[in-house]
Amino acid sequence: MNEPRILVIDDDADIRGLVAELLGRAGMIVDQAPDGRAGLRALHESPPDLVVLDVAMPDLDGWETLERIRDLTEVPVLMLTARGAEPDRVRGLKAGADDYVVKPFGRQELVARIQALLRRTPAGGEADQEPYSDGLLRIDFAQHGVTFAGREVTLTPLEFKLLSTFARHPRQVLSRDELLELVWGKDVSADQVKLYVGYLRRKLDPEDPARVPIETVRGFGYRYKPAD
């Protein structure tokens, strides 16, 4: 198996060096960039398997860099920030980040979160799957395309994984723990399930999120009921 390639974008040379050392010890190839623009150039030159992205950078900050990354690719992005307030975490997740780590971070935790994201990244198996379709929803797994009620919907990679998981388990009640294992892994808070189900409903049907057939089964989890 090839070593995963990680791109670390951070204006703090000490942080970049520390992350590169930790990931190198874990068997990963690490490219470094001192700012957002250099990071985007590195993304073009050597496409990574995952990006570690700092939020507070001069000129092109982490939010702007993330937006441009999402215009180009669905590569997993883990954001690093010194601000750990909930609104900041929510902003990062809504912008398309896959995980969020607050500085100062635990070294083992950072490596574990990156490894978990890499495990959850599809390894090409989706390309052979037949598209899913019901009365409202259609998913093209190969192209990561989604339409709902005839309207094309743009989803972040995690939103797409969550929706695909529901579609692969129609009418089955999935607990939060099961969804964490299938979509995120065990290394994140269970609150993210509720957060992302809400995002997904609003993305699929902004005018009437309640019409989306993802049911909340109180005390258990969630269930997708395909439309006829």
Side-chain angles (χ1 to χ4, degrees), residues 14-218:
D14 290 336
I15 294 292
R16 287 200 316 273
L18 173 60
V19 175
E21 180 181 354
L22 293 173
L23 300 184
R25 290 178 183 173
M28 305 178 197
I29 299 171
V30 182
D31 297 324
Q32 301 182 41
D35 56 56
R37 297 190 189 283
L40 292 170
R41 288 195 296 270
L43 190 80
H44 280 286
E45 293 168 1
S46 299
D49 297 297
L50 183 143
V51 175
V52 177
L53 176 63
D54 183 38
V55 171
M57 295 186 294
D59 189 16
L60 196 68
D61 67 16
W63 306 119
E64 296 170 300
T65 304
L66 176 61
E67 183 178 355
R68 299 192 186 188
I69 289 173
R70 281 292 165 259
D71 287 339
L72 300 170
T73 176
E74 294 183 342
V75 64
V77 176
L78 182 145
M79 300 198 79
L80 291 179
T81 180
R83 301 168 63 184
E86 183 179 0
D88 295 305
R89 296 197 303 271
V90 170
R91 180 182 178 184
L93 295 171
K94 290 181 72 171
D98 295 88
D99 205 351
Y100 196 101
V101 173
V102 178
K103 301 176 183 177
F105 49 80
R107 299 183 180 193
Q108 293 182 351
E109 178 190 4
L110 178 67
V111 174
R113 284 179 177 270
I114 289 172
Q115 290 172 330
L117 284 175
L118 290 170
R119 288 196 300 270
R120 295 192 296 273
T121 303
E126 290 189 344
D128 298 326
Q129 295 183 25
E130 292 295 323
Y132 170 88
S133 183
D134 61 37
L136 284 173
L137 175 68
R138 187 178 191 279
I139 303 175
D140 184 332
F141 295 105
Q143 300 298 321
H144 282 211
V146 174
T147 58
F148 186 82
R151 182 179 66 90
E152 291 188 7
V153 181
T154 301
L155 300 179
T156 67
L158 264 175
E159 290 165 350
F160 184 85
K161 291 175 191 174
L162 179 59
L163 180 61
S164 299
T165 298
F166 281 128
R168 293 187 182 109
H169 300 83
R171 301 183 179 85
Q172 178 180 338
V173 177
L174 297 172
S175 70
R176 287 181 175 84
D177 287 343
E178 287 174 319
L179 287 168
L180 283 173
E181 183 174 357
L182 291 168
V183 181
W184 286 269
K186 294 288 189 180
D187 304 298
V188 297
S189 166
D191 291 341
Q192 289 200 38
V193 177
K194 181 179 179 180
L195 193 67
Y196 267 84
V197 169
Y199 294 160
L200 199 50
R201 287 170 173 155
R202 292 191 293 272
K203 284 280 193 77
L204 292 174
D205 198 332
E207 295 183 359
D208 186 10
R211 183 169 67 138
V212 176
I214 300 174
E215 297 182 340
T216 300
V217 182
R218 295 193 181 278

Side-chain angles (χ1 to χ4, degrees), residues 6-21:
I6 312 299
L7 173 60
V8 180
I9 307 174
D10 196 312
D11 64 322
D12 188 322
D14 290 336
I15 294 292
R16 287 200 316 273
L18 173 60
V19 175
E21 180 181 354

